Amino acid sequence: MAEAATQEIGLFNRREFLRLGFWAATALAAAEIGGAALVFFWPKLKAGAFGGEVNIGTLEEILPQLPMDAVPLYFREARFYLSHVEDGLLALYRKCTHLGCVVPWNYEEDQFHCPCHSSLFNRKGEWQGGPAPRPMDLMGIDIRNGEIWVDTGEISQRTAYVPSQAVPI
Amino acid sequence: MAFLPVPLRDLPREINRRIRNSRAWKSFFRSGYPDNRKDQAQIVIGNVFLHLHPVKVPTNAIRITYTYCLGGISFLLFLILTITGVLLMFYYVPSVERAYNDIQALSTTVAFGQLMRNLHRWAAHGMVLSVFLHMMRVFYTGAYKPPREFNWVIGVTLLFVTFGMSYTGYLLPWDQLGIWAITIGLGFAGYTPFFGEQAKQLIFGALEINQDSLLRFYVLHVIGLPLVAAVLMSVHFWRIRRDGGISTPL
């Protein structure tokens, strides 16, 4: 390693300053490319797919299929059940709050019955039995101009059912 | 500033010294900075990338009006095509249902997608041109003459591989332009003496351009031909050194 025998002025001599400048410019260019790569690779969530706000139809379309206390409607692509209870509509995230299995509706038992460890939930997603530590998680429902929008990117946990969780119709 | 091991003004130098004396640095670079001709030559010979290149190049041989840097430009374009091509592969599926829409999505919704696609397109056109001009330069300067005649053969092969990469890439957007251009090529292949029909089916995977043709062209375009090109290029560069260095103007 040959040290340049140059006059010492301030923090750097000329060679060190130029070298630092070279590395700083290289780091800047690398950061730009890295940032651009991040933007390039960032996925565009398709409208209507899981992770974004999903329009599942108008109230006039949905309600005839889903009278109060009917079997919850399953939206497979958006990964939730739409349930109609006495206080309004609930969007129940299908993932079991125990270990994350997909919870199906059990028609014979008339409740959600997780196939993995038999966690049980009712129409409101309330815990009925099994190892699940809390009720089923909720997605936000917004009714705009009679159309039902479910925000599948906004999943909230809860400890119990309260009527304000349901969206009145 | 008592917590600093050295005065502040010596800090950059101290950091530099510690990095260069670190075990990781030394294991990576092994030797120090080459500040004399002998060490510099040693590093070019010993480095896996640099060893393809001659240790010394005559000054008059790299005069811009002698080589026009056409071989170097071709290689640079190949590198650009590799990088942009890999990026395009993240958003392109070689299926007749998806290919056209994927390209449209690349151009309209993917950030920098249009930039990557156009870089790939123009670099591809540029590479065909620069490889051809490089061959012309080598011909007119007589650089193909012994002992370099075999490198000329490799070069001509590389020209055809370049044409192949350009041609196979033409079909991938799955637009009318590409499909009918490749259909013309399908007709050409049919005129091969003695085994025209067989050549057609072998190259295009079908009797008309369809999903099988698209997949064949895709695989050839993204891995088959570039791999052949990369190997041939390594030999092409290495032979410049083996054949006595770059040719010089008379």
Side-chain angles (χ1 to χ4, degrees):
Chain A
M1 180 64 215
E3 282 301 330
T6 45
Q7 202 182 343
E8 305 266 327
I9 307 164
L11 285 176
F12 313 104
N13 61 35
R14 184 189 299 238
R15 173 172 294 185
E16 286 165 343
F17 179 76
L18 288 173
R19 184 189 290 150
L20 190 72
F22 167 77
W23 284 114
T26 305
L28 185 67
E32 283 172 2
I33 291 169
L38 205 63
V39 178
F40 178 82
F41 285 116
W42 201 259
K44 310 277 173 302
L45 296 178
K46 288 192 182 69
F50 180 70
E53 220 181 5
V54 179
N55 183 354
I56 56 169
T58 61
L59 281 171
E60 288 86 63
E61 290 165 6
I62 296 292
L63 287 182
Q65 308 171 48
L66 188 68
M68 195 189 293
D69 291 334
V71 172
L73 280 181
Y74 184 32
F75 293 88
R76 200 166 67 88
E77 293 291 309
R79 302 183 189 173
F80 69 89
Y81 293 92
L82 191 68
S83 186
H84 189 173
V85 296
E86 67 265 24
D87 302 307
L89 292 176
L90 287 169
L92 302 166
Y93 185 28
R94 71 178 189 184
K95 189 170 151 185
C96 182
T97 51
H98 175 221
L99 287 174
C101 296
V102 175
V103 189
W105 179 261
N106 189 310
Y107 290 86
E108 288 169 15
E109 298 171 12
D110 200 40
Q111 63 182 346
F112 290 105
H113 188 147
C114 184
C116 295
H117 307 95
S118 280
S119 291
L120 308 171
F121 308 93
N122 65 11
R123 277 180 178 72
K124 294 169 180 168
E126 286 173 304
W127 178 84
Q128 301 293 302
R134 60 173 193 272
M136 291 170 83
D137 295 336
L138 288 178
M139 290 175 178
I141 299 177
D142 195 17
I143 297 170
R144 297 197 288 266
N145 303 323
E147 292 188 330
I148 308 172
W149 291 82
V150 177
D151 192 347
T152 57
E154 185 199 305
I155 296 165
S156 51
Q157 300 181 358
R158 54 186 175 154
T159 51
Y161 174 77
V162 287
S164 64
Q165 287 164 354
V167 175
I169 43 174
Chain B
M1 289 298 187
F3 58 88
L4 287 174
V6 290
L8 180 62
R9 51 168 291 151
D10 291 335
L11 195 61
R13 229 165 266 125
E14 176 65 14
I15 292 170
N16 191 12
R17 195 186 64 78
R18 287 200 181 185
I19 290 173
R20 281 165 192 279
N21 286 333
S22 68
R23 197 169 161 184
W25 180 279
K26 284 184 168 172
S27 78
F28 191 68
F29 290 102
R30 291 185 185 277
S31 51
Y33 187 79
D35 57 354
N36 59 70
R37 291 289 177 90
K38 182 172 163 289
D39 288 353
Q40 285 162 355
Q42 193 61 48
I43 280 190
V44 173
I45 293 167
N47 183 290
V48 64
F49 301 108
L50 297 181
H51 92 278
L52 295 173
H53 197 268
V55 171
K56 286 192 173 184
V57 179
T59 315
N60 59 347
I62 52 170
R63 200 180 69 209
I64 193 76
T65 52
Y66 178 65
T67 64
Y68 293 96
C69 204
L70 289 164
I73 290 171
S74 306
F75 182 53
L76 175 68
L77 291 172
F78 180 79
L79 293 181
I80 292 173
L81 286 162
T82 306
I83 292 167
T84 56
V86 167
L87 291 173
L88 294 176
M89 282 170 73
F90 281 100
Y91 284 104
Y92 175 82
V93 177
S95 102
V96 295
E97 284 85 27
R98 285 196 57 175
Y100 182 78
N101 292 329
D102 282 357
I103 295 291
Q104 295 307 308
L106 249 167
S107 305
T108 52
T109 63
V110 177
F112 302 112
Q114 178 77 309
L115 178 67
M116 291 303 119
R117 195 185 162 207
N118 278 337
L119 271 172
H120 198 77
R121 177 195 164 93
W122 290 109
H125 287 317
M127 188 174 163
V128 172
L129 189 68
S130 70
V131 168
F132 177 70
L133 292 175
H134 175 58
M135 188 176 81
M136 271 176 66
R137 193 284 291 177
V138 169
F139 180 77
Y140 284 126
T141 56
Y144 59 87
K145 289 177 182 173
R148 302 187 176 84
E149 68 268 51
F150 191 71
N151 223 9
W152 170 267
V153 175
I154 295 173
V156 172
T157 315
L158 275 168
L159 177 73
F160 284 117
V161 173
T162 306
F163 289 159
M165 291 192 285
S166 181
Y167 184 65
T168 50
Y170 206 14
L171 181 65
L172 302 189
W174 202 249
D175 51 6
Q176 289 296 314
L177 189 65
I179 290 171
W180 294 110
I182 303 307
T183 302
I184 292 169
L186 185 70
F188 285 177
Y191 287 110
T192 310
F194 308 115
F195 45 87
E197 258 329 286
Q198 289 85 343
K200 235 163 103 170
Q201 291 181 33
L202 195 64
I203 297 168
F204 297 90
L207 294 174
E208 56 170 28
I209 305 299
N210 63 12
Q211 173 67 69
D212 299 327
S213 324
L214 180 61
L215 190 60
R216 274 178 198 223
F217 273 47
Y218 178 74
V219 174
L220 284 175
H221 186 76
V222 303
I223 184 69
L225 293 169
L227 204 61
V228 172
V231 171
L232 286 179
M233 273 191 282
S234 309
V235 180
H236 197 59
F237 302 159
W238 173 78
R239 274 200 80 103
I240 296 170
R241 176 164 77 76
R242 298 295 291 169
D243 294 342
I246 190 169
S247 68
T248 45
L250 293 171

